[in-house]
Each structure stands twice: as C-alpha cells, then as structure tokens.
Amino acid sequence: PAPLKKQMAAVLAEGFVLRRSVFQKCLELYPMAEWQVLMQKMNKLNRFKKKNNDFIRRFTAGVKMVEVDGNGRLLIPKDLTVFANISKDIVVASAVNIIEIWDK
C-alpha cells in the first residue's frame, strides 16, 4: 500500500528479509537493519545447547532476502506463499518492528 511505502521510504533501498513465522501461518518481513540486530542477538546463543540450536534452525528456516522492484513491489517466493496459504489477496499488519503478511 502507498501509505506504508511512504512510511518505509528510508529502508526500502536496504532490502528486507522475508521468513515464515514460527507460531502462525503468516510471513514476517524484516527491514535489513532490524534483521541484522536480531542476528547479532542470535549469534550470542550457545549452539552447543540443543534447544538453542533447534530454535535457531527453526527461526531461520525458509529465510529469503527480498528487494523492492522499480514499482515498489516485493516478490514473495513461491515456497513462502505456499507456507502461508497465500492465494491472491493479502493483509499487511504492523507488528511493532516487523510487518506480518497474511492471506486475506
């Protein structure tokens, strides 16, 4: 949506990370700067503990780097549309520092 693109103008050029939600059948869109902060926190987890390693693996499964095209659109990869049951129309919802993408 145009109003959302206007609010996000500063981060559009940096790109985004699109991933499957861990707990819901939706997708989560992270601005690149936000994703990098999150990954710094993840890197502090001890991967020799099974629960940490399992969490990291589940959290980062299906992660895709996406960029805005010349018309200001993001292409959602097919495997992620299948995961979120996205057929045609979507709902975009703000979730504090990320955006959730749901099938309408």
Side-chain angles (χ1 to χ4, degrees):
L4 183 59
K5 285 191 326 189
K6 186 176 181 181
Q7 290 177 8
M8 298 180 66
V11 296
L12 289 178
E14 295 178 13
F16 298 88
V17 171
L18 188 60
R19 63 175 290 280
R20 301 181 288 201
S21 175
V22 174
F23 302 110
Q24 304 290 332
K25 279 288 190 180
C26 71
L27 303 177
E28 297 175 344
L29 184 68
Y30 290 78
M32 191 58 71
E34 188 65 37
W35 181 257
Q36 290 170 347
V37 168
L38 188 58
M39 287 299 99
Q40 287 174 353
K41 291 177 184 178
M42 289 277 222
N43 285 333
K44 293 178 183 175
L45 294 175
N46 182 351
R47 292 199 72 160
F48 291 103
K49 290 187 177 181
K50 183 178 180 345
K51 69 177 184 173
N52 290 349
N53 200 39
D54 291 346
F55 172 75
I56 293 167
R57 184 175 292 122
R58 185 167 177 181
F59 188 84
T60 58
V63 167
K64 307 280 190 222
M65 305 297 177
V66 292
E67 294 180 359
V68 177
D69 70 10
N71 293 320
R73 300 174 298 190
L74 291 171
L75 177 64
I76 299 175
K78 182 70 174 169
D79 63 321
L80 294 181
T81 60
V82 170
F83 169 82
N85 297 321
I86 294 173
S87 55
K88 184 177 178 184
D89 296 325
I90 63 169
V91 174
V92 178
S94 173
V96 185
N97 54 353
I98 65 170
I99 294 172
E100 292 179 343
I101 301 171
W102 295 82
D103 180 67
K104 186 175 181 183

